Every structure is written in structure tokens, then in C-alpha cells.
Amino acid sequence: MDTRQEHVNDRFTVRQKTSLMINRYVVTETLPDGSDGKVLAFAEQKRMTLKEQMTFYTDESRRQVLFTAAARQIVDLGASYDVRDAGGGVVGTFSKRFGSSLLRSTWEMDQPGSIAAVGRERNRFVAVARRLWGLVPLDFVPFMWPYHFDFTSDGGQVMRVDKKFGLRDRYVVDVQSPALDLRLAIAQAVALDALQSR
């Protein structure tokens, strides 16, 4: 994966794969014509664990770890997650602002020495509808209406995440700041799905 300041491709797609006990995601670069390019990462996250962790591999063979994202605390609604490279070096962090997220999901993303950004759901009405849907005892029926996040820093756009309409979760991510490490961008984008209900 290219993590230089100048990205080879600043748009990628996150797709969830169907699985019972493990959340799995395939991250692919998105080519200018909208088609999929090469696989950037394959992610796994075990459900119902006390301490959340996501592991990102080079591909679905899971032979080589690219990076990880792990919670600092056990079962904490406002937990911070450290994103670390394969050698354990810190790439960045992200966390959910629990209070602000009661009506409109809000995340903080920090890349030390570079970017500190805040991401919020773009449409407050969809945000409220999602919460009302969660009160309906129909857990087997997913909320399919698209929702979106905008990450900004000092008024400037850093990253945009757009959920697409459909039964399976799919997100198109536009990285708008060349300074943002793609590993942190990918980890945060996957977390928007895997950890959204936390």
C-alpha cells in the first residue's frame, strides 16, 4: 500500500462480506471510471468481544498483516482506537464522540504531527431516522437508506464517506487531503460500519 504524501489513488470502496461471527471487509481502489482496481486491504473483526480489534491484511489469504486498529479500553462506548502498522508503530487514532453521537454520529480522527479531523453524519434527518429504526424490533431488517460522513479539519475537507443504497453495506471513500495516511483512512472507513452501533 502506498502511504506517501501523494496518493496513487485518492478514492477507494469498502464492501462488507457476509459472515455470521466475524465482520469481513474488502477494500479496493476505485478507478476513474468507477470500476474496482487492486485490493488495498482485507479486514476482519470478531463480533461480541470485550476489547474490539480489527486486523487488516494485504488480501483475503490473510498471510500478511498490513496494520491493526484496536480499542484502548474494554467495552467503552467512547473508546479510542489505535491504528498501528505491522511493526507496532502508531499510524493514528480515531474515536467516537459518544455525547455528540446520540443524535448525529460524530467521530474524531488524529494523525500525529499532521491531521486532526472531525467526521459527522452529513444529513441530520437521516441520522434521526436511523436511530428511530433501531427502536423497531426488526433486527433482521437492515436500515438500507444511504448515509454519509464528512471529515473536516480547520474548515477544510479531509475525507468523505458515502454509503451506497443496497442490502449489503458498501461505502465509497474520497480522501481529499494528500497528507492523510491511507491506512488511517481505511481503518476509520471500516469502523464507520463495524463500530457504528457502539
Side-chain angles (χ1 to χ4, degrees):
M1 175 182 301
D2 193 324
T3 56
R4 297 170 299 175
Q5 295 291 80
E6 294 299 326
H7 297 155
V8 171
N9 194 306
D10 59 2
R11 173 177 280 194
F12 59 87
T13 299
V14 177
R15 287 182 176 82
Q16 185 179 35
K17 300 195 73 175
T18 303
S19 178
L20 288 177
M21 296 304 296
I22 299 177
N23 287 327
R24 291 189 170 101
Y25 300 88
V26 178
V27 183
T28 55
E29 66 176 352
T30 305
L31 301 177
D33 64 0
S35 64
D36 288 340
K38 66 180 181 181
V39 173
L40 298 176
F42 176 74
E44 284 194 344
Q45 177 230 8
K46 292 182 180 178
R47 298 175 185 168
M48 298 184 297
T49 58
L50 290 177
K51 192 171 182 181
E52 300 283 3
Q53 176 167 327
M54 297 181 290
T55 304
F56 295 80
Y57 303 91
T58 54
D59 55 40
E60 292 189 52
S61 71
R62 296 176 293 169
R63 285 192 292 264
Q64 183 179 347
V65 174
L66 276 174
F67 57 94
T68 61
R72 293 178 185 171
Q73 302 91 5
I74 296 175
V75 189
D76 185 350
L77 294 174
S80 294
Y81 294 80
D82 292 312
V83 179
R84 296 180 181 274
D85 63 25
V90 176
V91 175
T93 62
F94 61 83
S95 60
K96 192 172 186 180
R97 287 184 180 173
F98 179 68
S100 303
S101 295
L102 292 176
L103 290 178
R104 190 176 176 188
S105 290
T106 303
W107 293 77
E108 292 181 343
M109 181 173 62
D110 182 63
Q111 183 176 316
S114 182
I115 290 176
V118 174
R120 292 186 181 87
E121 280 187 85
R122 188 178 306 154
N123 189 314
R124 66 185 65 194
F125 299 107
V126 172
V128 171
R130 281 201 312 110
R131 282 146 184 78
L132 293 176
W133 185 262
L135 299 176
V136 178
L138 294 173
D139 291 341
F140 58 91
V141 181
F143 183 82
M144 292 186 296
W145 194 261
Y147 56 91
H148 318 287
F149 284 83
D150 293 306
F151 285 80
T152 61
S153 178
D154 296 326
Q157 293 290 321
V158 172
M159 184 172 79
R160 187 176 71 221
V161 182
D162 295 311
K163 183 177 183 182
K164 299 302 181 179
F165 186 83
L167 287 172
R168 292 188 179 181
D169 292 341
R170 180 171 69 95
Y171 303 82
V172 174
V173 183
D174 284 289
V175 176
Q176 296 156 297
S177 170
L180 180 61
D181 192 304
L182 286 181
R183 294 169 295 185
L184 180 56
I186 289 171
Q188 176 68 86
V190 169
L192 292 179
D193 186 87
L195 306 175
Q196 184 59 30
S197 62
R198 303 297 189 270

